[in-house]
Amino acid sequence: MTTDTTDLAYLRRRLLPLQQTTVALVFTGRGWELAPFDDTTVAKWACCPHSYAFSQRGLHVDAWFEIHRPEIWGEKKAWHPDYNQWRRELGEPLVMLFPDPDAPSAIPYPQSAVKAMVPPDSPIGGTMDWMLACALLLGVPRVDMYGCAYETFHEEVHQKPSILYWIGLARGRGMIINVMGGRLLLNALDGNYGPDYPPWPEGTHPRQYPTRPVRYLRFGPPPPRKEDVCPN
């Protein structure tokens, strides 16, 4: 069971330690290396699965987010030699939907406050959604997104629609959001549909996706046929 009784003023002090007005949300996709790790005027927030990649490079992150359930964050990770030990020795704030009682820097994620500020059917499809929602809740004026291309099939189908929802919602409420390192997240093609294409650039027409049918991108994979299901 999650608890989220964290006072928002306390949360601002912890996640925006120098009263920064810009937050960089940093993932490890294309363009992550452009993030301003050495700029103290920008607060850097990152997802815990990227902890080893950043710590190995000596890159500073101001706050980490761990959204998964205990049975997920407690298991051995392929991307970190000892994630449990790292989490429990962490000095920076660790915002958790399900706080680890053995992690001294853990802070409960303000889930109730986030849910109360948006329509009840607002989708949350990934950690980046929770992070952007937290920045919106705290009244952060500007968010820059790095390494958030959503290029893998899983991300594109299951997570990209919801982060686009949150970007639109946050911009509609006055937040400045910049997707750094290219427009791939917002639009994979240069220009605008109608004035600039069609004709489609070579390789981008839906008929040129032999292994990714259009119905997959729009509606998710079709249910398996009976003859494709292996008996137990």
Side-chain angles (χ1 to χ4, degrees), residues 121-130 132-133 145 150 154-170 185:
D121 61 349
S122 297
I124 299 184
T127 300
M128 181 63 73
D129 301 11
W130 290 105
L132 182 54
M145 300 172 63
Y150 287 73
H154 170 79
E155 292 172 335
E156 185 175 3
V157 172
H158 299 293
Q159 297 184 316
K160 186 174 181 178
S162 61
I163 190 60
L164 293 178
Y165 170 89
W166 282 97
I167 290 174
L169 186 146
L185 173 60

Side-chain angles (χ1 to χ4, degrees), residues 97-170:
L97 203 58
F98 302 88
D100 179 356
D102 295 322
S105 67
I107 302 172
Y109 184 95
Q111 181 179 188
S112 297
V114 164
K115 293 292 185 68
M117 74 173 181
V118 296
D121 61 349
S122 297
I124 299 184
T127 300
M128 181 63 73
D129 301 11
W130 290 105
M131 294 165 67
L132 182 54
C134 185
L136 183 63
L137 176 68
L138 297 183
V140 175
R142 170 178 164 176
V143 165
D144 296 337
M145 300 172 63
Y146 296 86
C148 305
Y150 287 73
E151 295 180 271
T152 69
F153 181 72
H154 170 79
E155 292 172 335
E156 185 175 3
V157 172
H158 299 293
Q159 297 184 316
K160 186 174 181 178
S162 61
I163 190 60
L164 293 178
Y165 170 89
W166 282 97
I167 290 174
L169 186 146

Side-chain angles (χ1 to χ4, degrees), residues 12-21 39-44 62:
R12 288 190 187 93
R13 291 195 301 271
R14 294 298 310 276
L15 303 189
L16 306 168
L18 301 179
Q19 299 182 357
Q20 293 97 328
T21 57
D39 187 351
T40 58
T41 67
V42 177
K44 277 74 65 180
D62 294 289

